[in-house]
Amino acid sequence: MVTATRTQVAIIGGGPAGLLLSHILQRNGIDSIVLERQSRRHVLERIRAGVLEAGTVALLREVGLGARMDREGHPHDGSAIAWEGRSRFFIDTKKFTGRAMMAYGQTAITEDLYAARDAAGGEIIDQAGNVQPHELTSSRPYVTYEKDGSSRRIDCDYVAGCDGYHGVSRSVIPAAVLRTYEKSYPFGWLGIMSETPPYKDICYCYHSRGFALASRRNPMLSRYYIQCDLDTKLADWPDDRFWREFKARCPRDMADCIVSGPSIEKSIAPLRSFVAEPMRYGKLFLAGDAAHIVPPTGAKGLNLAVSDVFYLSRALTEFYRTGRTRYLDGYSDTALRRVWSAARLSWWLTMLLHRFPAETPFEERMRLNQFDYLQASEHAQASLAEQYAGLPFEA
Ligand code: FAS
Ligand code: PHB
């Protein structure tokens, strides 16, 4: 016996993309149901992104999700780059774009989204097993899933694939249609969270020992990363070793300001660039990590999920209000222009700030000269700043 329900948009995935899409659609009078594979607790235990582009901040405020972010988030005018043997550089987004960034964790955003969906009576089905979209090229698509031992079906007009890199949505696009582009990097990031006062800036460090990054979540919650080999074992990195290595990779004046403490979370993330095209197949629209992965160096992953959702929610709203499909028909191309820009910036910053195994002295000198040019040229600084702050959404 299959229990069937109906909604306008079935959303697969209850991470930031799926929850934000559901929230914005309801604000525009459009029904949706979110199908999430994990429990809410599992989703909220993930430690992910921390830096928001100006466009993300503006959109969250516009859709009523800015109150806690503005209370607890940390607005800042850019991020620093500390380069071994060179003077400090600042990616001055305020000076060159007039726009500020915001440090506010993805976990907090997801908490805010769950609270908003609950307050609005949004339907989120957790621990939904074996979610499968069907009939995507017909006029009557639907999604099936399993819950509490029974099979269920949701008839809908559209399906949003917001189920991340390992989700089901991208896999249902025929191989003859789907084009993928990817690059894997020969290292990862070992990240920790500590309940300590953060360093004064978000600071990327280039060092002969390897990359390091100091970031924050709030005045008593800090996030630190160091570049590590892909075969790194967490067990080989007790806290004191992490702190020694982090401080060895940053300038002395910065190291002396780092407040160390016990880690409350420690994890290793591999670095990868991945883009899938197109981001639409019939009635299925991909958004967020389901369509693309960028190395975290540019702080773009979460921000790209938000911009995809901005474009997709605008498109669905146009359709339900007017019957026009101009934005729906243009969604994939529009979203992919921003995706490729962010993928390129993230790749460029990753190549600039990391030492690669077995790189030649020539490649090392090219990297150093790139940094020296960045320090010397306001044009280069303006170009980096506008990309780091996030290019404006397309009309
Ligand atoms: P998500 O992966 O967050 O959410 C997808 C959801 O779909 C998940 O809840 C999953 O459980 C669910 N799902 C999967 N398969 C399903 C199925 N078959 N059925 C139903 N549900 C299913 N970005 C940054 O900008 N800065 C960072 O520092 C940063 N660090 C990161 C560290 C790690 C370890 C990872 C993995 C990512 C990081 N990212 C970072 C990127 C990250 O923040 C993503 O861009 C962001 O989570 C994208 O959100 P979603 O697209 O919603 O995907
Ligand atoms: C983070 O705070 O987790 C963070 C900040 C900047 C990045 C990546 C991650 O580029």
Side-chain angles (χ1 to χ4, degrees):
M1 167 63 180
V2 176
T3 312
T5 52
R6 187 178 213 299
T7 190
Q8 290 170 301
V9 182
I11 299 173
I12 305 176
L19 293 172
L20 182 59
L21 178 62
S22 177
H23 173 80
I24 298 177
L25 290 179
Q26 182 163 13
R27 287 175 61 92
N28 289 285
I30 301 166
D31 295 332
S32 65
I33 296 175
V34 174
L35 291 169
E36 166 54 48
R37 173 164 64 182
Q38 304 289 357
S39 68
R40 180 174 294 201
R41 177 190 171 94
H42 181 101
V43 174
L44 290 173
E45 280 174 348
R46 291 182 187 133
I47 303 288
R48 295 271 183 89
V51 171
L52 306 183
E53 291 178 354
T56 296
V57 171
L59 180 63
L60 291 175
R61 287 177 179 147
E62 187 184 317
V63 298
L65 290 167
R68 184 183 169 207
M69 174 183 69
D70 287 327
R71 272 199 320 274
E72 298 179 13
H74 174 69
H76 54 284
D77 294 340
S79 298
I81 297 179
W83 194 284
E84 185 182 11
R86 289 290 194 271
S87 56
R88 191 73 50 88
F89 175 75
F90 193 71
I91 307 173
D92 198 333
T93 58
K94 192 73 173 180
K95 173 182 176 184
F96 291 107
T97 72
R99 308 170 87 196
M101 311 284 289
M102 177 77 78
Y104 186 61
Q106 175 172 326
T107 306
I109 294 174
T110 311
E111 288 167 347
D112 299 347
L113 280 164
Y114 269 125
R117 298 308 297 129
D118 291 347
E123 190 167 358
I124 302 170
I125 299 172
D126 295 324
Q127 296 175 295
N130 191 21
V131 178
Q132 290 291 339
H134 304 272
E135 299 296 325
L136 293 171
T137 56
S138 78
S139 58
R140 300 168 63 84
Y142 65 95
V143 176
T144 56
Y145 66 100
E146 289 156 13
K147 174 85 175 173
D148 300 333
S150 68
S151 295
R152 307 187 185 186
R153 168 177 169 143
I154 300 175
D155 292 293
C156 54
D157 300 327
Y158 292 102
V159 179
C162 301
D163 47 351
Y165 180 76
H166 300 288
V168 65
S169 299
R170 190 176 68 248
S171 71
V172 302
I173 300 178
V177 173
L178 190 69
R179 301 179 300 278
T180 60
Y181 307 83
E182 59 187 309
K183 175 181 178 59
S184 293
Y185 299 87
F187 42 75
W189 282 12
L190 167 57
I192 73 162
M193 197 78 90
S194 61
E195 290 172 326
T196 53
Y199 183 59
K200 65 182 176 66
D201 288 326
I202 289 171
C203 186
Y204 300 88
C205 302
Y206 173 81
H207 194 277
S208 49
R209 297 176 69 99
F211 168 87
L213 168 61
S215 187
R216 59 182 292 147
R217 292 294 179 270
N218 65 48
M220 273 308 289
L221 193 59
S222 300
R223 181 74 165 151
Y224 294 97
Y225 300 92
I226 56 171
Q227 174 184 349
C228 64
D229 295 337
L230 287 174
D231 60 358
T232 297
K233 303 283 184 295
L234 282 180
D236 296 338
W237 284 89
D239 288 356
D240 58 353
R241 182 184 177 195
F242 179 90
W243 290 118
R244 275 199 315 275
E245 186 59 32
F246 184 89
K247 293 181 179 181
R249 296 186 184 188
C250 50
R252 170 55 49 210
D253 65 319
M254 177 176 170
D256 291 345
C257 298
I258 299 294
V259 179
S260 58
S263 61
I264 58 170
E265 190 272 347
K266 194 180 288 179
S267 56
I268 296 172
L271 270 63
R272 174 179 52 223
S273 298
F274 174 85
V275 178
E277 296 182 351
M279 290 173 59
R280 173 186 188 176
Y281 177 67
K283 300 289 189 173
L284 171 69
F285 292 85
L286 301 182
D289 280 15
H292 40 72
I293 295 287
V294 290
T297 327
K300 291 297 177 193
L302 174 60
N303 292 293
L304 271 183
V306 171
S307 54
D308 290 349
V309 166
F310 167 76
Y311 289 134
L312 183 53
S313 60
R314 180 176 70 177
L316 290 165
T317 300
E318 178 194 52
F319 169 72
Y320 282 109
R321 281 197 180 148
T322 70
R324 283 200 301 270
T325 59
R326 175 171 59 107
Y327 282 133
L328 278 175
D329 296 340
Y331 168 74
S332 182
D333 289 345
T334 303
L336 281 167
R337 279 192 289 273
R338 189 178 183 85
V339 166
W340 278 114
S341 294
R344 179 181 46 75
L345 187 274
S346 304
W347 162 80
W348 185 83
L349 270 177
T350 300
M351 300 303 285
L352 178 71
L353 295 173
H354 294 77
R355 291 176 63 83
F356 282 64
E359 68 182 11
T360 64
F362 177 81
E363 287 163 328
E364 200 177 328
R365 299 301 278 181
M366 285 297 99
R367 175 186 298 116
L368 180 58
N369 181 266
Q370 175 66 65
F371 181 73
D372 287 343
Y373 170 61
L374 189 57
Q375 279 209 311
S377 162
E378 285 229 336
H379 300 291
Q381 292 161 23
S383 172
L384 175 55
E386 73 167 356
Q387 297 175 80
Y388 189 76
L391 300 172
F393 297 157
E394 289 185 28

